Amino acid sequence: MKIGVLGIQGDIQEHLAVIRKLGHEAVWIRESDALKTVEALIMPGGESTTMTKLLKRFAIWEPLRKSINSGMPVFATCAGMILLSSGIENYPAQDTLGVLDVTIERNGYGRQVDSFEADLYVNYFGDVPFRAVFIRAPKIATTGKEVEVMASFGGTPVLVRERNIIAASFHPELTDDVRLQRYFLDMVGNSIEDATSRM
């Protein structure tokens, strides 16, 4: 499969490396036309305000929203989740794509110096915990009724899925555990099979 990584700002190389490690073609997405060449998209962490400005400057913002609303599978981490959310509950105000029915508290787990790791128990992964790295992590404040909570930390969702979107507050690309990426790729494969069967 051909998987895109939104290459505007953030942990781009790390995500590209994981996709290649798992045997798929990884494409660095820097322009809107490139969205049409991939079967799914990863939106990495970074600085959400900067990413928003650059996505609009390079005319990717609206094509990205359209692609996701049309069913493109997306896996968003940290700042990527902020961009997808339906809104931000604390400062500063910024635009979001509004395609994932969650509201976000930016830096909800603290700033850079408050970064930490934690073991999570993820739905579908059995009893073996997933080691999650939280760096200036956004906190999910509310979830819509169609949002599935796949993992929580301290009673708060940190990994969610809604239809074609998976979003995490943490950085799975910074560990050697690739179960979450495999889960996403299986989701992409199922999406392709469903589309083929309808043709």
PDB file of all heavy atoms in Angstrom, residues 140-163:
ATOM      1  N   ILE A 140      -7.684  15.110  25.538  1.00  0.00           N
ATOM      2  CA  ILE A 140      -9.047  15.062  24.995  1.00  0.00           C
ATOM      3  C   ILE A 140     -10.012  15.460  26.100  1.00  0.00           C
ATOM      4  O   ILE A 140     -10.096  14.808  27.143  1.00  0.00           O
ATOM      5  CB  ILE A 140      -9.365  13.661  24.450  1.00  0.00           C
ATOM      6  CG1 ILE A 140      -8.448  13.327  23.262  1.00  0.00           C
ATOM      7  CG2 ILE A 140     -10.835  13.572  24.040  1.00  0.00           C
ATOM      8  CD1 ILE A 140      -8.630  11.918  22.719  1.00  0.00           C
ATOM      9  N   ALA A 141     -10.748  16.538  25.871  1.00  0.00           N
ATOM     10  CA  ALA A 141     -11.681  17.052  26.878  1.00  0.00           C
ATOM     11  C   ALA A 141     -13.054  16.400  26.759  1.00  0.00           C
ATOM     12  O   ALA A 141     -13.675  16.046  27.767  1.00  0.00           O
ATOM     13  CB  ALA A 141     -11.800  18.568  26.745  1.00  0.00           C
ATOM     14  N   THR A 142     -13.566  16.258  25.527  1.00  0.00           N
ATOM     15  CA  THR A 142     -14.865  15.624  25.307  1.00  0.00           C
ATOM     16  C   THR A 142     -14.803  14.749  24.065  1.00  0.00           C
ATOM     17  O   THR A 142     -14.010  14.997  23.158  1.00  0.00           O
ATOM     18  CB  THR A 142     -15.988  16.664  25.112  1.00  0.00           C
ATOM     19  OG1 THR A 142     -15.742  17.408  23.898  1.00  0.00           O
ATOM     20  CG2 THR A 142     -16.062  17.629  26.278  1.00  0.00           C
ATOM     21  N   THR A 143     -15.652  13.723  24.028  1.00  0.00           N
ATOM     22  CA  THR A 143     -15.759  12.859  22.852  1.00  0.00           C
ATOM     23  C   THR A 143     -17.214  12.746  22.441  1.00  0.00           C
ATOM     24  O   THR A 143     -18.112  12.686  23.289  1.00  0.00           O
ATOM     25  CB  THR A 143     -15.214  11.445  23.126  1.00  0.00           C
ATOM     26  OG1 THR A 143     -15.948  10.862  24.219  1.00  0.00           O
ATOM     27  CG2 THR A 143     -13.732  11.479  23.484  1.00  0.00           C
ATOM     28  N   GLY A 144     -17.449  12.705  21.130  1.00  0.00           N
ATOM     29  CA  GLY A 144     -18.794  12.538  20.616  1.00  0.00           C
ATOM     30  C   GLY A 144     -19.264  11.103  20.740  1.00  0.00           C
ATOM     31  O   GLY A 144     -18.480  10.188  21.017  1.00  0.00           O
ATOM     32  N   LYS A 145     -20.551  10.869  20.518  1.00  0.00           N
ATOM     33  CA  LYS A 145     -21.135   9.542  20.749  1.00  0.00           C
ATOM     34  C   LYS A 145     -20.649   8.489  19.769  1.00  0.00           C
ATOM     35  O   LYS A 145     -20.733   7.287  20.047  1.00  0.00           O
ATOM     36  CB  LYS A 145     -22.665   9.644  20.712  1.00  0.00           C
ATOM     37  CG  LYS A 145     -23.247  10.107  19.382  1.00  0.00           C
ATOM     38  CD  LYS A 145     -24.766  10.181  19.468  1.00  0.00           C
ATOM     39  CE  LYS A 145     -25.364  10.623  18.129  1.00  0.00           C
ATOM     40  NZ  LYS A 145     -26.852  10.679  18.205  1.00  0.00           N
ATOM     41  N   GLU A 146     -20.129   8.907  18.612  1.00  0.00           N
ATOM     42  CA  GLU A 146     -19.631   7.945  17.622  1.00  0.00           C
ATOM     43  C   GLU A 146     -18.146   7.651  17.793  1.00  0.00           C
ATOM     44  O   GLU A 146     -17.573   6.863  17.041  1.00  0.00           O
ATOM     45  CB  GLU A 146     -19.876   8.474  16.200  1.00  0.00           C
ATOM     46  CG  GLU A 146     -21.337   8.733  15.863  1.00  0.00           C
ATOM     47  CD  GLU A 146     -22.180   7.467  15.931  1.00  0.00           C
ATOM     48  OE1 GLU A 146     -21.662   6.393  15.542  1.00  0.00           O
ATOM     49  OE2 GLU A 146     -23.337   7.548  16.400  1.00  0.00           O
ATOM     50  N   VAL A 147     -17.510   8.263  18.774  1.00  0.00           N
ATOM     51  CA  VAL A 147     -16.065   8.094  18.982  1.00  0.00           C
ATOM     52  C   VAL A 147     -15.814   6.912  19.911  1.00  0.00           C
ATOM     53  O   VAL A 147     -16.334   6.857  21.030  1.00  0.00           O
ATOM     54  CB  VAL A 147     -15.448   9.377  19.577  1.00  0.00           C
ATOM     55  CG1 VAL A 147     -13.970   9.161  19.898  1.00  0.00           C
ATOM     56  CG2 VAL A 147     -15.616  10.537  18.608  1.00  0.00           C
ATOM     57  N   GLU A 148     -15.003   5.966  19.438  1.00  0.00           N
ATOM     58  CA  GLU A 148     -14.607   4.815  20.259  1.00  0.00           C
ATOM     59  C   GLU A 148     -13.321   5.150  21.011  1.00  0.00           C
ATOM     60  O   GLU A 148     -12.334   5.566  20.397  1.00  0.00           O
ATOM     61  CB  GLU A 148     -14.369   3.584  19.385  1.00  0.00           C
ATOM     62  CG  GLU A 148     -13.841   2.390  20.177  1.00  0.00           C
ATOM     63  CD  GLU A 148     -13.343   1.250  19.308  1.00  0.00           C
ATOM     64  OE1 GLU A 148     -13.402   1.372  18.062  1.00  0.00           O
ATOM     65  OE2 GLU A 148     -12.875   0.238  19.874  1.00  0.00           O
ATOM     66  N   VAL A 149     -13.332   4.951  22.322  1.00  0.00           N
ATOM     67  CA  VAL A 149     -12.119   5.136  23.121  1.00  0.00           C
ATOM     68  C   VAL A 149     -11.353   3.817  23.130  1.00  0.00           C
ATOM     69  O   VAL A 149     -11.819   2.817  23.673  1.00  0.00           O
ATOM     70  CB  VAL A 149     -12.459   5.583  24.557  1.00  0.00           C
ATOM     71  CG1 VAL A 149     -11.186   5.693  25.394  1.00  0.00           C
ATOM     72  CG2 VAL A 149     -13.203   6.912  24.532  1.00  0.00           C
ATOM     73  N   MET A 150     -10.161   3.826  22.525  1.00  0.00           N
ATOM     74  CA  MET A 150      -9.336   2.621  22.432  1.00  0.00           C
ATOM     75  C   MET A 150      -8.367   2.485  23.599  1.00  0.00           C
ATOM     76  O   MET A 150      -7.937   1.380  23.919  1.00  0.00           O
ATOM     77  CB  MET A 150      -8.559   2.619  21.115  1.00  0.00           C
ATOM     78  CG  MET A 150      -9.428   2.521  19.877  1.00  0.00           C
ATOM     79  SD  MET A 150      -8.462   2.599  18.342  1.00  0.00           S
ATOM     80  CE  MET A 150      -7.413   1.137  18.506  1.00  0.00           C
ATOM     81  N   ALA A 151      -7.999   3.600  24.231  1.00  0.00           N
ATOM     82  CA  ALA A 151      -7.121   3.557  25.406  1.00  0.00           C
ATOM     83  C   ALA A 151      -7.294   4.845  26.193  1.00  0.00           C
ATOM     84  O   ALA A 151      -7.583   5.901  25.621  1.00  0.00           O
ATOM     85  CB  ALA A 151      -5.662   3.374  24.991  1.00  0.00           C
ATOM     86  N   SER A 152      -7.108   4.732  27.508  1.00  0.00           N
ATOM     87  CA  SER A 152      -7.201   5.899  28.391  1.00  0.00           C
ATOM     88  C   SER A 152      -5.987   5.950  29.306  1.00  0.00           C
ATOM     89  O   SER A 152      -5.311   4.943  29.534  1.00  0.00           O
ATOM     90  CB  SER A 152      -8.472   5.823  29.246  1.00  0.00           C
ATOM     91  OG  SER A 152      -9.635   5.867  28.441  1.00  0.00           O
ATOM     92  N   PHE A 153      -5.738   7.151  29.833  1.00  0.00           N
ATOM     93  CA  PHE A 153      -4.689   7.340  30.836  1.00  0.00           C
ATOM     94  C   PHE A 153      -5.275   8.225  31.936  1.00  0.00           C
ATOM     95  O   PHE A 153      -5.776   9.314  31.657  1.00  0.00           O
ATOM     96  CB  PHE A 153      -3.451   8.000  30.226  1.00  0.00           C
ATOM     97  CG  PHE A 153      -2.393   8.352  31.229  1.00  0.00           C
ATOM     98  CD1 PHE A 153      -1.613   7.351  31.795  1.00  0.00           C
ATOM     99  CD2 PHE A 153      -2.203   9.662  31.635  1.00  0.00           C
ATOM    100  CE1 PHE A 153      -0.648   7.658  32.739  1.00  0.00           C
ATOM    101  CE2 PHE A 153      -1.240   9.982  32.584  1.00  0.00           C
ATOM    102  CZ  PHE A 153      -0.459   8.970  33.139  1.00  0.00           C
ATOM    103  N   GLY A 154      -5.262   7.728  33.161  1.00  0.00           N
ATOM    104  CA  GLY A 154      -5.837   8.491  34.267  1.00  0.00           C
ATOM    105  C   GLY A 154      -7.307   8.789  34.074  1.00  0.00           C
ATOM    106  O   GLY A 154      -7.794   9.830  34.532  1.00  0.00           O
ATOM    107  N   GLY A 155      -8.024   7.895  33.403  1.00  0.00           N
ATOM    108  CA  GLY A 155      -9.449   8.080  33.178  1.00  0.00           C
ATOM    109  C   GLY A 155      -9.804   8.973  32.006  1.00  0.00           C
ATOM    110  O   GLY A 155     -10.987   9.202  31.734  1.00  0.00           O
ATOM    111  N   THR A 156      -8.787   9.476  31.290  1.00  0.00           N
ATOM    112  CA  THR A 156      -9.022  10.361  30.144  1.00  0.00           C
ATOM    113  C   THR A 156      -8.633   9.651  28.854  1.00  0.00           C
ATOM    114  O   THR A 156      -7.559   9.043  28.790  1.00  0.00           O
ATOM    115  CB  THR A 156      -8.186  11.648  30.286  1.00  0.00           C
ATOM    116  OG1 THR A 156      -8.582  12.325  31.481  1.00  0.00           O
ATOM    117  CG2 THR A 156      -8.389  12.568  29.089  1.00  0.00           C
ATOM    118  N   PRO A 157      -9.462   9.717  27.800  1.00  0.00           N
ATOM    119  CA  PRO A 157      -9.099   9.079  26.539  1.00  0.00           C
ATOM    120  C   PRO A 157      -7.798   9.651  25.970  1.00  0.00           C
ATOM    121  O   PRO A 157      -7.588  10.870  25.979  1.00  0.00           O
ATOM    122  CB  PRO A 157     -10.276   9.425  25.613  1.00  0.00           C
ATOM    123  CG  PRO A 157     -11.412   9.739  26.532  1.00  0.00           C
ATOM    124  CD  PRO A 157     -10.785  10.366  27.735  1.00  0.00           C
ATOM    125  N   VAL A 158      -6.937   8.758  25.481  1.00  0.00           N
ATOM    126  CA  VAL A 158      -5.698   9.202  24.821  1.00  0.00           C
ATOM    127  C   VAL A 158      -5.529   8.571  23.443  1.00  0.00           C
ATOM    128  O   VAL A 158      -4.624   8.937  22.693  1.00  0.00           O
ATOM    129  CB  VAL A 158      -4.449   8.908  25.683  1.00  0.00           C
ATOM    130  CG1 VAL A 158      -4.451   9.760  26.942  1.00  0.00           C
ATOM    131  CG2 VAL A 158      -4.341   7.425  26.022  1.00  0.00           C
ATOM    132  N   LEU A 159      -6.408   7.625  23.122  1.00  0.00           N
ATOM    133  CA  LEU A 159      -6.392   6.986  21.808  1.00  0.00           C
ATOM    134  C   LEU A 159      -7.834   6.722  21.412  1.00  0.00           C
ATOM    135  O   LEU A 159      -8.557   6.035  22.127  1.00  0.00           O
ATOM    136  CB  LEU A 159      -5.596   5.683  21.849  1.00  0.00           C
ATOM    137  CG  LEU A 159      -5.540   4.859  20.554  1.00  0.00           C
ATOM    138  CD1 LEU A 159      -4.782   5.611  19.457  1.00  0.00           C
ATOM    139  CD2 LEU A 159      -4.868   3.501  20.809  1.00  0.00           C
ATOM    140  N   VAL A 160      -8.254   7.312  20.278  1.00  0.00           N
ATOM    141  CA  VAL A 160      -9.652   7.205  19.867  1.00  0.00           C
ATOM    142  C   VAL A 160      -9.756   6.863  18.385  1.00  0.00           C
ATOM    143  O   VAL A 160      -8.816   7.066  17.611  1.00  0.00           O
ATOM    144  CB  VAL A 160     -10.423   8.527  20.138  1.00  0.00           C
ATOM    145  CG1 VAL A 160     -10.472   8.830  21.631  1.00  0.00           C
ATOM    146  CG2 VAL A 160      -9.805   9.690  19.370  1.00  0.00           C
ATOM    147  N   ARG A 161     -10.938   6.342  18.045  1.00  0.00           N
ATOM    148  CA  ARG A 161     -11.235   6.084  16.629  1.00  0.00           C
ATOM    149  C   ARG A 161     -12.652   6.548  16.324  1.00  0.00           C
ATOM    150  O   ARG A 161     -13.584   6.325  17.108  1.00  0.00           O
ATOM    151  CB  ARG A 161     -11.101   4.594  16.299  1.00  0.00           C
ATOM    152  CG  ARG A 161     -11.487   4.298  14.852  1.00  0.00           C
ATOM    153  CD  ARG A 161     -11.258   2.858  14.454  1.00  0.00           C
ATOM    154  NE  ARG A 161     -11.691   2.632  13.082  1.00  0.00           N
ATOM    155  CZ  ARG A 161     -11.610   1.471  12.443  1.00  0.00           C
ATOM    156  NH1 ARG A 161     -11.096   0.405  13.050  1.00  0.00           N
ATOM    157  NH2 ARG A 161     -12.029   1.367  11.191  1.00  0.00           N
ATOM    158  N   GLU A 162     -12.806   7.196  15.184  1.00  0.00           N
ATOM    159  CA  GLU A 162     -14.126   7.547  14.660  1.00  0.00           C
ATOM    160  C   GLU A 162     -14.116   7.287  13.161  1.00  0.00           C
ATOM    161  O   GLU A 162     -13.414   7.957  12.408  1.00  0.00           O
ATOM    162  CB  GLU A 162     -14.485   9.002  14.941  1.00  0.00           C
ATOM    163  CG  GLU A 162     -15.905   9.342  14.495  1.00  0.00           C
ATOM    164  CD  GLU A 162     -16.285  10.785  14.778  1.00  0.00           C
ATOM    165  OE1 GLU A 162     -15.379  11.614  15.029  1.00  0.00           O
ATOM    166  OE2 GLU A 162     -17.489  11.084  14.725  1.00  0.00           O
ATOM    167  N   ARG A 163     -14.889   6.280  12.741  1.00  0.00           N
ATOM    168  CA  ARG A 163     -14.958   5.880  11.333  1.00  0.00           C
ATOM    169  C   ARG A 163     -13.544   5.681  10.757  1.00  0.00           C
ATOM    170  O   ARG A 163     -12.847   4.760  11.155  1.00  0.00           O
ATOM    171  CB  ARG A 163     -15.781   6.892  10.532  1.00  0.00           C
ATOM    172  CG  ARG A 163     -17.241   6.973  10.988  1.00  0.00           C
ATOM    173  CD  ARG A 163     -18.060   7.905  10.115  1.00  0.00           C
ATOM    174  NE  ARG A 163     -17.531   9.261  10.103  1.00  0.00           N
ATOM    175  CZ  ARG A 163     -17.851  10.170  11.026  1.00  0.00           C
ATOM    176  NH1 ARG A 163     -18.661   9.873  12.022  1.00  0.00           N
ATOM    177  NH2 ARG A 163     -17.348  11.382  10.940  1.00  0.00           N
TER     178      ARG A 163
END
